């Protein structure tokens, strides 16, 4: 059995939060989970959570300790690397984007293997209206509009991009494929906690009436999910078809399923076909663009914590 | 295939590795002016761009290069050749870029090494980075007496260092006068 230990350190105003996740990674994505959980309260001292995963015994266990730490300058190159394929292989100014991300001090988390400088993933949010002049942001906007086939959705996107009274946050959430999903709840919880703190700090310091960076109404993001190809079959009815469609999506990152469930806008386009690592079944890589309103965030975080 | 790392040369000549085909060699000879001598070098360490760095007067080479190769370099490129390491690494071509105006080397180069290099090369030498903290100068920067190209990751600070060491900013007459004045004061 795998043991996953989470220790949550309190988030202080100067954001020295780090979570330590100790995990034995063997087989990924299979097996049952049983959980013994305590109520998590931010203001208290360290809480402990223990998750036990039952896994097949025939695989070798690799002891890995993952830290969630603040993004810093040394994450620049790995962050840039993760973003290279953000626009489906189109070359864009990842340098500027990575620069914006690692220099944002108030929020942003990097997943690091304990003791090393290697970043295995990161999460951050950038206010698209405040960075509207940055070429990389423009390129992302144009790409989103270009890839969205449906005109109605495109119009919604255009209004989101142009209405600067409603802050639009670009949520960037990338990591390596085999990072355990148990990392996602604290990762995202931490992100939104940091945003809340940053918002309060900014509000206290700013003159009344100014458009705050952290006053984000909607979060927009692009992620990759997989669509399993159906063997050819005659559709027997609307209800039948719907049931089949829902079960076909495979989520690389567990939180994607929950975010997409609560998305107000959703747009997807197909990428290449890849074989599933375990079963060899052909999957189509789908790039999904989605927008989530801030009112849905607490629900999402709650559902994420329960998975 | 990464040509920059395979060849090395200056105004007077170009050296290509053993792996160059006759056809390629002919093609290069045709493209370059006759004043530039193109020579294929039979050398085990075939990535000449990594083992050799030179300007029009001086060349630094990997300490393990053949004696014969050293002679070819001195002859074809018309330079004085020195066997040298940079920041304890023998790959001089990867960790330094030099022009007739100056040289930029790996950030971990010690002060003594910097002084030694400056005396060998007879140009100002500075240790710095390119591509946002990378010490592989030769792989991230290419420069000559008039212009330099560097990778997209390079920060503004790094660019200003490159500009100053290779004297790439546009100089006005007042700057020249300033240079003359300061050097006169130094010598007095």
């Amino acid at each position: 059995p795998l043991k996953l230990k989470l220790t949550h350190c309190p988030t202080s105003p100067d954001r020295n939060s780090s979570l330590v996740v100790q995990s034995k990674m063997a087989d990924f994505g299979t097996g049952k989970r049983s959980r013994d959980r305590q109520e998590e309260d931010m203001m208290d001292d360290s809480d402990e959570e223990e998750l036990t995963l039952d896994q097949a015994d025939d695989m070798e266990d690799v002891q890995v300790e993952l830290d969630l730490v603040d993004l810093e300058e040394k994450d620049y190159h790995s962050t840039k690397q993760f973003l290279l394929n953000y626009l489906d292989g189109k070359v864009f100014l990842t340098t500027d984007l990575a620069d914006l991300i690692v220099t944002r001090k108030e929020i942003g988390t990097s997943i690091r293997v304990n003791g090393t400088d290697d970043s295995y993933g990161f999460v951050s949010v950038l206010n698209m209206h405040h960075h509207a002049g940055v070429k990389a942001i423009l390129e992302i906007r144009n790409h989103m509009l270009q890839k969205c086939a449906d005109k109605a959705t495109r119009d919604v996107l255009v209004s989101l991009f142009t209405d600067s009274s409603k802050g639009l946050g670009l949520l960037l959430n990338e990591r390596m494929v085999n990072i355990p999903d148990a990392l996602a709840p604290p990762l995202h919880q931490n992100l939104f906690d940091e945003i809340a703190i940053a918002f309060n700090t900014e509000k206290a310091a700013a003159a009344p009436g100014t458009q705050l960076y952290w006053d984000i109404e909607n979060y927009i993001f692009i992620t990759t999910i997989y669509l399993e190809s159906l063997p050819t079959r005659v559709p027997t009815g609307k209800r039948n078809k719907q049931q089949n469609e829902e079960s076909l999506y495979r989520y690389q990152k567990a939180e994607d399923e929950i975010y997409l469930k609560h998305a107000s806008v959703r747009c997807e386009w197909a990428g290449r076909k890849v074989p599933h690592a375990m079963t060899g079944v052909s999957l189509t890589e789908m790039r999904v663009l989605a927008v989530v309103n801030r009112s849905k965030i607490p629900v999402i975080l709650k559902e994420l914590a329960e998975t | 295939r990464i040509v920059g790392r395979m060849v090395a040369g200056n105004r007077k000549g170009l050296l290509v590795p053993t792996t160059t085909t006759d056809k390629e060699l002919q093609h290069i000879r045709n493209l370059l002016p006759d004043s530039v001598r193109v020579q294929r070098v039979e050398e085990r360490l075939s990535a000449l761009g990594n083992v050799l760095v030179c300007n029009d007067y001086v060349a630094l080479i990997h300490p393990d290069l053949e004696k014969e190769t050293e002679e070819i370099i001195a002859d074809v490129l018309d330079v004085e050749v020195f066997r040298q390491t940079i920041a304890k690494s023998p790959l001089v071509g990867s960790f330094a870029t030099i022009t007739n105006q100056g040289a930029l080397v790996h950030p971990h180069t010690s002060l003594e090494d910097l002084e030694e290099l400056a005396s060998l090369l007879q140009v100002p030498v500075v240790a710095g980075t390119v591509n946002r903290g990378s010490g592989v100068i030769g792989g991230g920067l290419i420069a000559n007496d008039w212009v330099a190209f560097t990778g997209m990751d390079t920060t503004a600070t790094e660019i200003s260092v490159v500009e100053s060491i290779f004297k790439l900013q546009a100089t006005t007459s007042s700057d020249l006068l300033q240079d003359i004045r300061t050097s006169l004061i130094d010598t007095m």
Side-chain angles (χ1 to χ4, degrees), chain B residues 58-79:
Chain B
V58 178
L60 299 177
I61 63 169
H62 189 297
D64 297 340
L65 239 52
E66 304 278 331
K67 192 87 182 87
E68 203 184 316
T69 309
E70 189 183 334
E71 287 168 11
I72 296 174
I73 295 168
D75 179 44
V76 174
L77 301 182
D78 191 19
V79 289

Side-chain angles (χ1 to χ4, degrees), chain A residues 26-66:
Chain A
D27 200 354
F28 315 116
T30 59
K32 299 178 298 186
R33 292 183 197 185
S34 66
R35 178 174 300 186
D36 170 28
R37 203 163 166 247
Q38 289 172 315
E39 193 53 48
E40 201 173 38
D41 187 2
M42 243 205 326
M43 303 315 273
D44 282 350
D45 288 338
S46 44
D47 298 20
E48 269 187 29
E49 272 182 29
E50 271 185 32
L51 296 105
T52 314
L53 284 91
D54 295 293
Q55 298 292 354
D57 285 330
D58 51 323
M59 291 213 71
E60 233 177 71
D61 278 351
V62 175
Q63 184 85 17
V64 168
E65 211 174 285
L66 296 167

Side-chain angles (χ1 to χ4, degrees), chain A residues 73 76-77 80 93 95 99 102, chain B residues 131-134 152-155:
Chain A
E73 176 63 36
Y76 173 83
H77 288 285
K80 195 182 78 130
L93 283 169
T95 51
D99 185 57
V102 300
Chain B
N131 281 334
R132 202 157 182 147
S134 169
M152 281 295 303
D153 289 336
T154 312
T155 62

Side-chain angles (χ1 to χ4, degrees), chain A:
Chain A
L2 279 173
K3 238 180 175 337
L4 207 88
K5 210 169 176 181
L6 270 92
T7 319
H8 186 212
C9 305
T11 321
S12 64
D14 44 354
R15 302 173 316 115
N16 275 325
S17 73
S18 82
L19 292 100
V20 176
V21 173
Q22 202 163 12
S23 85
K24 277 186 168 195
M25 303 206 293
D27 200 354
F28 315 116
T30 59
K32 299 178 298 186
R33 292 183 197 185
S34 66
R35 178 174 300 186
D36 170 28
R37 203 163 166 247
Q38 289 172 315
E39 193 53 48
E40 201 173 38
D41 187 2
M42 243 205 326
M43 303 315 273
D44 282 350
D45 288 338
S46 44
D47 298 20
E48 269 187 29
E49 272 182 29
E50 271 185 32
L51 296 105
T52 314
L53 284 91
D54 295 293
Q55 298 292 354
D57 285 330
D58 51 323
M59 291 213 71
E60 233 177 71
D61 278 351
V62 175
Q63 184 85 17
V64 168
E65 211 174 285
L66 296 167
D67 285 338
L68 298 180
V69 295
D70 294 336
L71 277 167
E72 40 180 300
E73 176 63 36
K74 62 172 125 169
D75 294 312
Y76 173 83
H77 288 285
S78 52
T79 305
K80 195 182 78 130
Q81 209 60 31
F82 280 118
L83 292 169
L84 282 178
N85 209 31
Y86 199 67
L87 299 187
D88 308 331
K90 197 196 294 188
V91 173
F92 73 108
L93 283 169
T94 44
T95 51
D96 288 348
L97 195 61
D99 185 57
L100 283 175
I101 293 165
V102 300
T103 48
R104 245 322 118 170
K105 292 292 162 209
E106 317 86 89
I107 69 142
T109 307
S110 167
I111 302 167
R112 291 231 198 101
V113 173
N114 186 24
T116 70
D117 285 340
D118 301 322
S119 176
Y120 278 49
F122 77 97
V123 70
S124 184
V125 172
L126 294 172
N127 185 321
M128 284 186 86
H129 293 132
H130 277 247
H131 296 298
V134 176
K135 198 143 182 272
I137 300 288
L138 276 171
E139 286 173 326
I140 293 172
R141 268 174 52 159
N142 293 339
H143 185 81
M144 287 174 171
L145 288 171
Q146 190 195 9
K147 286 293 182 180
C148 205
D150 178 41
K151 180 154 196 316
T153 323
R154 256 209 311 275
D155 290 342
V156 174
L157 286 178
V158 169
S159 71
L160 283 172
F161 291 145
T162 49
D163 185 4
S164 53
S165 65
K166 298 210 187 101
L168 181 65
L170 178 66
L171 176 65
L172 294 154
N173 178 21
E174 304 285 339
R175 57 179 184 264
M176 292 205 189
V177 291
N178 50 1
I179 303 288
D181 282 335
L183 208 68
L187 187 68
H188 287 256
Q189 181 66 54
N190 210 28
L191 176 70
F192 290 104
D193 289 343
E194 286 179 331
I195 290 178
I197 290 174
F199 174 64
N200 289 329
T201 316
E202 198 188 357
K203 194 156 147 198
T210 48
Q211 187 64 29
L212 298 174
Y213 189 99
W214 292 115
D215 186 11
I216 295 176
E217 179 70 29
N218 290 299
Y219 293 91
I220 190 168
F221 60 94
I222 305 179
T223 189
T224 304
I225 61 177
Y226 296 93
L227 189 64
E228 195 173 314
S229 319
L230 249 193
T232 49
R233 161 207 299 235
V234 179
T236 49
K238 223 180 191 175
R239 196 176 82 91
N240 222 6
K241 214 177 182 178
Q242 202 134 9
Q243 277 183 336
N244 289 335
E245 274 172 24
E246 273 177 36
S247 61
L248 284 175
Y249 285 110
R250 301 266 176 267
Y251 299 92
Q252 187 177 306
K253 298 191 289 258
E255 66 267 27
D256 284 344
E257 191 172 1
I258 301 170
Y259 271 104
L260 291 173
K261 195 165 87 175
H262 295 284
S264 57
V265 174
R266 177 180 168 150
C267 187
E268 56 193 61
W269 58 95
R272 58 208 174 120
K273 282 197 178 331
V274 291
H276 187 275
M278 299 299 201
T279 62
V281 175
S282 172
L283 299 169
T284 313
E285 204 176 73
M286 302 292 293
R287 290 291 276 168
V288 182
L289 163 73
V291 178
V292 171
N293 189 274
R294 70 158 131 212
S295 58
K296 295 285 196 297
I297 297 296
V299 178
I300 290 173
L301 290 174
K302 185 157 173 289
E303 280 184 30
L304 193 57
E306 283 164 6
T307 51

Side-chain angles (χ1 to χ4, degrees), chain B residues 122-178:
Chain B
Q122 293 295 300
V123 290
V125 180
V126 90
T129 62
V130 294
N131 281 334
R132 202 157 182 147
S134 169
V136 186
I137 312 294
L141 170 69
I142 191 158
N144 66 15
D145 290 343
W146 304 280
V147 75
F149 288 95
T150 183
M152 281 295 303
D153 289 336
T154 312
T155 62
T157 326
E158 291 169 336
I159 290 177
S160 71
V161 170
V162 168
E163 278 181 340
S164 78
I165 191 66
F166 294 124
K167 302 199 180 32
L168 297 169
Q169 306 107 318
T171 46
T172 61
S173 57
S174 64
D175 288 347
L176 282 169
L177 220 52
Q178 183 66 22

